[in-house]
């Protein structure tokens, strides 16, 4: 939320702090495979009020993008609620060894 608030102050784009809600408990994802992560967050998020996102282009702010499982689950919820598009703005991305030059 701190990152989203800072981006909002700089751009004037409003933040919908409670637009997404977790509706299913999820385990700690650290140490899980990408497939296990996707299963853990499947249907875990819902848009509280569709009117907040319906017909809008949404920017989803993610602090760390690891496998994309959580962001993907959030994007699916936002699109189901009527968002016209969803862009992901992430602060950091985890790159596995041998998967793009990271050591």
């Amino acid at each position: 939320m701190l990152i989203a608030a800072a981006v909002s102050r700089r751009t004037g784009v409003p933040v919908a702090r409670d637009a997404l809600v977790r509706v299913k408990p999820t385990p700690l994802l650290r140490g899980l495979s990408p497939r296990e992560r996707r299963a853990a967050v499947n249907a875990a998020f819902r848009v509280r009020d569709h009117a907040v996102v319906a017909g809008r282009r949404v920017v989803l702010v993610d602090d760390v993008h690891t496998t994309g499982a959580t962001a993907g689950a959030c994007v699916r919820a936002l699109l189901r609620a009527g968002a016209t598009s969803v862009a992901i703005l992430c602060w950091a991305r985890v790159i596995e060894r041998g998967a793009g030059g990271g050591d």
Side-chain angles (χ1 to χ4, degrees):
M1 184 48 60
L2 294 173
I3 297 167
V7 170
S8 177
R9 282 191 303 275
R10 301 270 301 194
T11 64
V13 174
V15 174
R17 168 173 247 159
D18 298 320
L20 277 171
V21 292
R22 185 183 308 261
V23 295
K24 170 181 143 183
T26 57
L28 183 64
L29 301 181
R30 182 177 298 135
L32 298 181
S33 72
R35 177 177 284 161
E36 291 168 326
R37 286 172 179 248
R38 284 190 303 274
V41 298
N42 184 42
F45 301 95
R46 187 166 299 139
V47 173
R48 183 183 306 254
D49 179 2
H50 289 206
V52 172
V53 301
R56 296 178 185 259
R57 295 177 294 165
V58 175
V59 177
L60 176 67
V61 178
D62 189 4
D63 59 348
V64 178
H65 188 87
T66 306
T67 64
T70 302
C74 291
V75 167
R76 285 188 294 282
L78 290 162
L79 292 173
R80 275 195 308 271
T84 58
S85 68
V86 181
I88 300 170
L89 174 64
C90 68
W91 190 251
R93 179 175 172 232
V94 175
I95 298 176
E96 294 183 37
R97 296 186 101 156
D103 287 272

